[in-house]
Amino acid sequence: MSGKEALQVQTLAEIPYLKIHGRTTGALAPVTLFWTGSAIEMNVRASELWIEVESGYDQYESWVSILINGVPVSRQMLTAGRYWICVFRGMNRDAVKNIRIVKEVQAMSGDPGCYLQFHAVKTYGDFLPVEAKPFKVEFIGDSITSGEGVIGAQAEEDWIPAWFSGVHNYTAMTAEAVDAEYRVISQSGWGVLTSWDNNPQGNIPGIYGQICGLLSGTRNEALGAQNEHDFSSWQPDVVVVNLGTNDDGAFHSPEWQDEVTGQIYKQRLNDDGTYHEADLAAFEAAVTKFLGKLRHYNNNAHIVWAYGMLGIPLMPAIHRAVDAYIKATGDKKVSVFQLPNTTSETAGARSHPGLMAHKQTAQELSGYIKSLLIGS
Amino acid sequence: MSGKEALQVQTLAEIPYLKIHGRTTGALAPVTLFWTGSAIEMNVRASELWIEVESGYDQYESWVSILINGVPVSRQMLTAGRYWICVFRGMNRDAVKNIRIVKEVQAMSGDPGCYLQFHAVKTYGDFLPVEAKPFKVEFIGDSITSGEGVIGAQAEEDWIPAWFSGVHNYTAMTAEAVDAEYRVISQSGWGVLTSWDNNPQGNIPGIYGQICGLLSGTRNEALGAQNEHDFSSWQPDVVVVNLGTNDDGAFHSPEWQDEVTGQIYKQRLNDDGTYHEADLAAFEAAVTKFLGKLRHYNNNAHIVWAYGMLGIPLMPAIHRAVDAYIKATGDKKVSVFQLPNTTSETAGARSHPGLMAHKQTAQELSGYIKSLLIGS
Amino acid sequence: MSGKEALQVQTLAEIPYLKIHGRTTGALAPVTLFWTGSAIEMNVRASELWIEVESGYDQYESWVSILINGVPVSRQMLTAGRYWICVFRGMNRDAVKNIRIVKEVQAMSGDPGCYLQFHAVKTYGDFLPVEAKPFKVEFIGDSITSGEGVIGAQAEEDWIPAWFSGVHNYTAMTAEAVDAEYRVISQSGWGVLTSWDNNPQGNIPGIYGQICGLLSGTRNEALGAQNEHDFSSWQPDVVVVNLGTNDDGAFHSPEWQDEVTGQIYKQRLNDDGTYHEADLAAFEAAVTKFLGKLRHYNNNAHIVWAYGMLGIPLMPAIHRAVDAYIKATGDKKVSVFQLPNTTSETAGARSHPGLMAHKQTAQELSGYIKSLLIGS
Amino acid sequence: MSGKEALQVQTLAEIPYLKIHGRTTGALAPVTLFWTGSAIEMNVRASELWIEVESGYDQYESWVSILINGVPVSRQMLTAGRYWICVFRGMNRDAVKNIRIVKEVQAMSGDPGCYLQFHAVKTYGDFLPVEAKPFKVEFIGDSITSGEGVIGAQAEEDWIPAWFSGVHNYTAMTAEAVDAEYRVISQSGWGVLTSWDNNPQGNIPGIYGQICGLLSGTRNEALGAQNEHDFSSWQPDVVVVNLGTNDDGAFHSPEWQDEVTGQIYKQRLNDDGTYHEADLAAFEAAVTKFLGKLRHYNNNAHIVWAYGMLGIPLMPAIHRAVDAYIKATGDKKVSVFQLPNTTSETAGARSHPGLMAHKQTAQELSGYIKSLLIGS
């Protein structure tokens, strides 16, 4: 077994067959990962591998999980700085390992200082092609899709990156069940029309066309987060949209005032507790419009609006909006799928779906997606 | 939220209510953890906590898992050096967190350079008492008890620390189920009489009286690993001995030659594949003798010989040996308990019990231990 | 223990506290049960109990299950004739047993000769009041709700009563989970608008107002099956409608010709496999109209359209129809709930949901119903 | 579909390929079934099948389960008399059905009047060969092996046949898992040495050599129950002995007095609650002796003493006894296997193992048996 002195540093741009999961600018020096579930993947024949990461933040740090041959082996917080992490060591030099280093935490719209980059690897082995999966699935959602609450005790209440996971959530499990490569576009608290607190900026459609448009600040701008995303580079077979939970929250939350314009935003309830008609219509219009945007960018994908892990109050409105879209466009590859509700037994931290709830959702959703993929 | 500049460093000797799991010398500057499942535990009221670790090795590195309020949140390799790890940050400053930092990897008899230490914490909060559990359980075993193969794909074959876990194995699960504090004394490949390859040094009884007597080398000696353990400091209610699997292996493995004396050691099989009578008797004598040693050190504990996660070929011999011990001593608090066998569905990496096998064992073993504890 | 000679015969009209489940005419001499899940229930303090049944049929025989203290103990075919069945014997004479004798098979629209009656009991004990459950739930559906395929090997293809169960299906399990008394109105092959083979007579709404209007023939007429049902006698808290699966089937089945009028009926597909617009509209109109009928008869019930155990192709249409009903009426106690799909692992006989599928549905549906009942 | 008039009666002696499970005299006119799990099996190509049963008892009635193509379809009490039961009707006349009619209740040592016979079948189809299973397993035991408590609510306390099942217990499940034909020799309350109440007649070894030697009375004698069993007719690959639970009970129960001789029998405990040495030795001697008898009759079978579903207090004694037998005979095909204990979650009626406990036992025991069969 050779010592560390033999390890050679290669930048990510230098190594062959590097596979990057998740939207990026394409830059390799370094590779910046934005969204949860984003990852770098490689097949390497070596006994030891290190990776040089760079992590920064004002408030919310990044976490990564390392998968060896498809199985999560380590999961750790990445404190600020640029440094080397050992991915594996002491293994059989002649065996090829499939390595995936996965961002466990969502893009942080609330922390312009948060970023995660990979610069280089250190090894003395060689790299081999990573086999492509037969399908591609994109997941769009909020905290549920960000895996918030999958980690941690049920009693936890702090909003911190530690409770998020991109590996132990329904997106990763569903993708594995249907043998698909996947991407996640998600943000805690956001909706189709507004965020849970009626902020009209907190909507996913508004930033969907950009690489990671919800990130602000000069560094993120320089990293290309707000650049237009090149959709031709990755066309999914299925797009799953798991939004609506925070749009319902907005009806039950106080108004939001724009500090600049002074304008007030509020999704209203009637006195009897039902949704205010005009405000509900605004939500539906946002759903319909987003479907058009999704189709614009994803020409052949099945679009599945999947909703229900924390209840189904907006399900009728979602059906109406999807119906309206289909009627207006004739687009037949759009459907709605109800997800199983979280129970006290399946809940995780912060009153969010826990590991068991994500497993149950993955089981039912993957069955539905398989039926779509077989039919297509 | 205060910045890092406010964090204050305190050595472990300075902080109140620090709880240490696992055998140690009692030294706090630094604290050295030897065995898998060893841990430092604290209740801290703060928004942020760092811990200063020191890790060294020639070959086999250490890993730790961090539990917050009883739930595993991170798990990482500790590469060589002395450095700070962030345990948590950004949490509610007024809430008390229970923190356990657990050694995931067994004491490494094969690597005299391997050690793991904790020097200090960095926080600005205060420390509170850790509530004591009503029971204490000690587990003694081999690779199974070290959690070898709990992590990793079934196809993995390398013998590396990454595949071990002290948190995701039956010892931790059983202890939790019976509400007990626990310690683990275990070593891959070792047995009661010899190791799997007939090495007579590879026996747990020989080192049981020392703090961690299977560690060699001058550093470990200086750290006190070979010191006599003070058994009065921690008297278990139950001692579980899960040994025998490697003693059976010795019958099926080539002879071992002592390089110094030239002496050859071999547990023999008869031509018909049955155990050679004298060699089997030697195994039984070793079991009987070990029970005497266990009782010598643990006056009131129920001693449970638990065996079967990888088959039960030596079960008759174990029963005979336990019987002989009871007959000779009149000791009535010794019993034998069969553990459920691992199947292809419940196996983990390296042909060892996987997570499901450990869960099944914990369920059955904890039921048995509860019946002992209720009766006592 | 007393012998049989001491047993005394009492007609059902004579015994106090007899509880009858399911729609009946109120006649007690004898009691006729029509629908699956219908039952006679009694609390009896005795060591032995017999019941006198009368069963008749031209083709499809009846089956019953006997539950003692809530647990199914026997299940048997009732061949033609009038005879005594022993419910229990040899039990403690002083203990009160709760007894339920449940019809396992649906009302048989295809066999005018099929009927099931109970005449008398034989015992020497006394009868006590049956405690009322806090809630009432009515289930309306097709073969799925009739429990077709819950019994039998997956390979079974014959359409026979043996494969049906009113006890081991989601209606009984859901009712138990929400602590409700329940009734079932269901018929294999039937829909909201037509049956699976486009027969416009095969629709549940058309017979909903009668006690058991799908039964024909002079005997059934004499038994009062076609009488108007007295809805004031039993007002459910929740009505679950699990219809639509056969309405979808009609789109994929050959036309149906009325033998009398010569008229042809067919729900059409477009050339591209989508539903023909006008025919789909007819289905939706039928759903909307049925909701009005359900509300007419059940003033305060939550009405839940539950659909999905064999796929969700008509879900958008169901949502549109429910929406149209709500918009037209302002009725807010109507909602749609998607049921989990059956998989190859959870399927039963005759390509229908099996026991596992019914358990999964009961778990999810009962969670939803609880949320409605708590809110009301 | 033909009517009943076409059905033809054939005695069991007349039909070809009839397979009988369980020890019988070989008499076919009629067939008498003695033990639980005994059955008549046939492959029949017909649309309808009836069977003529004859049932008698003074106290404890018989029950049967009917399996169609391997799946339990009906289960019913057989009240006294000779009459026809319909096994199936209305099925596809051209399909072959595998039919098994299984005795659900143990041989009743306490009721000399209890018997169950099958006289004839009524059908218009033909009979085909029943495929043989590759293995044969015999189970010997007490109430656990009789499936007592598998049926019924946990609160049930009456000792009645209704709570027994030969189909829903670990013997049937284990046999299915290892693809074996099976027989059961079992009796509630009995042991190896004495019954639970110290009656020395209540021991299985004493009647093992007879067809069903625990049945008394002139009718049973005439039926051949006390005849010597012809062991050459059915040699098992594995014999599972699940005895000891009632032998332990005897130590904790009052003495038993022989009404004829006045002799008193009592397995004693010492003052400290441990087993009295001489009495424990008597138990061990009984185990050892029974093993000799089992081997005498079953030359090549693996003999497995399986124990533990209601605790393991006698496990050390069982191991000693098995050891003594092996040492005395050199017989190497004898072993001990611990069964998983019943918990409050897995218990059934009458404080006995419930369905879940039997499933768990079958899973572990079948794994062990497979390892024996593969090795042989």
Side-chain angles (χ1 to χ4, degrees), chain B residues 62-346:
Chain B
S62 288
W63 286 64
V64 288
S65 273
I66 296 174
L67 283 72
I68 302 181
N69 295 325
V71 176
V73 173
S74 64
R75 175 184 140 89
Q76 60 192 101
M77 184 195 292
L78 295 184
T79 49
R82 178 169 170 170
Y83 45 89
W84 288 93
I85 290 176
C86 184
V87 177
F88 64 83
R89 56 185 297 284
M91 295 188 77
N92 176 358
R93 143 162 239 162
D94 298 325
V96 179
K97 289 95 192 163
N98 177 266
I99 299 298
R100 252 167 64 209
I101 302 170
V102 186
K103 191 166 190 287
E104 282 277 270
V105 186
Q106 66 175 18
M108 282 295 179
S109 64
D111 184 358
C114 175
Y115 69 101
L116 172 64
Q117 297 177 324
F118 297 89
H119 288 273
V121 294
K122 204 159 60 176
T123 189
Y124 39 72
D126 52 339
F127 293 85
L128 291 95
V130 173
E131 199 181 358
K133 305 258 186 190
F135 298 112
K136 293 185 181 72
V137 179
E138 180 175 271
F139 297 89
I140 300 167
D142 48 33
S143 58
I144 297 170
T145 301
S146 291
E148 182 178 338
V150 161
I151 308 285
Q154 283 204 1
E156 302 296 353
E157 295 182 351
D158 293 314
W159 198 91
I160 56 171
W163 310 144
F164 286 74
S165 174
V167 162
H168 299 289
N169 83 28
Y170 82 90
T171 64
M173 297 172 195
T174 300
E176 188 177 0
V178 303
D179 202 13
E181 182 178 309
Y182 73 105
R183 291 181 172 185
V184 181
I185 309 293
S186 64
Q187 193 68 195
S188 292
W190 285 38
V192 191
L193 180 66
T194 73
S195 61
W196 69 276
D197 58 354
N198 285 291
N199 183 342
Q201 302 301 322
N203 76 86
I204 297 285
I207 54 84
Y208 182 73
Q210 297 160 274
I211 291 176
C212 189
L214 52 73
L215 294 183
S216 57
T218 50
R219 179 188 285 107
N220 283 317
E221 194 179 341
L223 290 174
Q226 283 111 21
N227 292 2
E228 283 303 301
H229 173 56
D230 173 13
F231 284 88
S232 70
S233 63
W234 197 86
Q235 280 280 305
D237 299 285
V238 179
V239 174
V240 174
V241 191
N242 187 346
L243 286 171
T245 301
N246 289 301
D247 291 285
D248 173 65
F251 283 94
H252 299 88
S253 300
E255 63 187 28
W256 185 86
Q257 185 166 19
D258 188 317
E259 294 185 3
V260 178
T261 67
Q263 193 172 343
I264 283 173
Y265 296 87
K266 172 72 183 115
Q267 291 287 83
R268 291 160 293 173
L269 293 176
N270 297 319
D271 290 344
D272 65 357
T274 56
Y275 297 120
H276 185 282
E277 196 173 348
D279 295 349
L280 189 61
F283 165 75
E284 293 177 33
V287 170
T288 301
K289 191 175 166 199
F290 189 29
L291 290 170
K293 181 174 259 190
L294 288 171
R295 175 58 72 222
H296 171 70
Y297 287 123
N298 306 285
N299 295 149
N300 288 304
H302 294 274
I303 302 176
V304 179
W305 205 288
Y307 174 66
M309 290 174 76
L310 290 173
I312 54 171
L314 280 174
M315 189 60 106
I318 289 169
H319 265 281
R320 277 194 301 270
V322 170
D323 240 32
Y325 167 77
I326 294 173
K327 183 162 287 179
T329 61
D331 187 344
K332 297 190 182 71
K333 295 180 76 172
V334 181
S335 59
V336 180
F337 187 79
Q338 183 181 313
L339 303 176
N341 201 5
T342 299
T343 67
S344 56
E345 287 79 29
T346 64

Side-chain angles (χ1 to χ4, degrees), chain D residues 10 33 79 95 135 155 275 334 376:
Chain D
Q10 291 170 276
L33 296 186
T79 49
F135 299 112
Y275 297 118
V334 181
S376 64

